Amino acid sequence: MSNRIVVVYKSSTGFTKRYAEMLAEKIDCTLAVYKNATPEMLSQFDIVVFGTRAHAGRIDGLKTMKEIFHKSMARKFVLFVTGATPNEAEETIDGFWRQNFTADELAEIPHFYLQSGLCYEKMSFPDRLMMKAAAAMIKRKKSKSPEEREFEQAISSSYDISSEIYLKPLTASLANMEGNP
Ligand SMILES: Cc1cc2nc3c(=O)[nH]c(=O)nc-3n(C[C@H](O)[C@H](O)[C@H](O)COP(=O)(O)O)c2cc1C
């Protein structure tokens, strides 16, 4: 069983890494970092779980990771994405999946959203600039919707709304796959 699942993560400020490590405490799997992922490496496993972040509405590294997966012998691709959007913003999260997946991918690739937060202390310089630009743009707006006010408040400083409880649907799905080889 132990060689069936590899969890490959791509993390910039640590949230995705932490979720990947929490996942590895709950299921029998091997952890690997994104930059070490090759078709040969993934071929040692049946199931590839890719963990990454939402980044300006996109899924960071997804295109490359899908290419590596398709060149490998691994059987199943599973995705989890961490983001600052709270779980309650269901419409935003649904739109995010629709924007990043084709209809076929939406049906084929099990995908999970894990709320995380923002960490300005560990953010790269370009990312900090992007956040600053977003904050300036919203500040300039004269009339703001309640959602825009909430967003403005949310991005004003670092916060952490991650929790291992959000891993439950993902661990349940993986347990189901393990039971149905
Ligand atoms: C420039 C930038 C853009 C971001 N875009 C989004 C986004 O579109 N949706 C979202 O929910 N979170 C967004 N976030 C928040 C990150 O997805 C979140 O902090 C993530 O957990 C970071 O993962 P990491 O710590 O593993 O790098 C963004 C963060 C930065 C710095």
Side-chain angles (χ1 to χ4, degrees):
M1 281 278 204
S2 60
N3 256 16
R4 292 203 58 203
I5 306 178
V6 63
V7 177
V8 179
Y9 65 87
K10 185 174 196 299
S11 185
S12 170
T13 64
F15 288 108
T16 311
K17 179 172 190 265
R18 212 144 27 96
Y19 269 122
E21 287 168 351
M22 285 191 266
L23 183 59
E25 281 169 19
K26 292 179 188 301
I27 61 161
D28 196 5
C29 68
T30 299
L31 268 185
V33 290
Y34 171 81
K35 65 176 169 50
N36 292 341
T38 60
E40 296 69 36
M41 191 271 267
L42 298 191
S43 294
Q44 298 168 48
F45 302 90
D46 281 343
I47 301 169
V48 175
V49 180
F50 179 45
T52 185
R53 63 173 178 169
H55 194 243
R58 308 300 298 269
I59 301 176
D60 193 12
L62 178 63
K63 188 169 175 278
T64 304
M65 197 58 201
K66 276 193 306 195
E67 284 167 9
I68 298 172
F69 169 76
H70 287 305
K71 285 183 195 157
S72 82
M73 307 279 282
R75 189 172 55 84
K76 186 87 186 160
F77 187 74
V78 178
L79 178 74
F80 76 83
V81 177
T82 70
T85 308
N87 285 346
E88 296 81 61
E90 285 175 19
E91 269 184 37
T92 306
I93 297 165
D94 280 352
F96 173 76
W97 293 126
R98 280 198 305 274
Q99 195 179 322
N100 283 283
F101 280 143
T102 62
D104 283 351
E105 285 175 334
L106 266 178
E108 259 168 42
I109 302 175
H111 50 280
F112 301 85
Y113 177 78
L114 303 175
Q115 68 173 38
S116 58
L118 283 175
C119 181
Y120 281 97
E121 294 74 19
K122 295 186 191 159
M123 219 175 264
S124 69
F125 182 65
D127 278 351
R128 234 178 295 150
L129 279 185
M130 273 176 84
M131 296 308 294
K132 228 178 161 179
M137 203 168 77
I138 200 126
K139 197 175 172 198
R140 273 200 301 273
K141 279 197 105 179
K142 287 213 173 70
S143 70
K144 293 167 202 164
S145 68
E147 291 77 24
E148 284 168 335
R149 277 183 205 289
E150 215 172 285
F151 180 67
E152 186 176 28
Q153 174 62 30
I155 65 169
S156 65
S157 55
S158 298
Y159 64 96
D160 183 351
I161 49 170
S162 61
S163 166
E164 64 176 336
I165 60 168
Y166 303 127
L167 279 170
K168 268 192 178 169
L170 171 57
T171 51
S173 172
L174 289 170
N176 198 29
M177 286 174 211
E178 281 270 272
N180 299 287

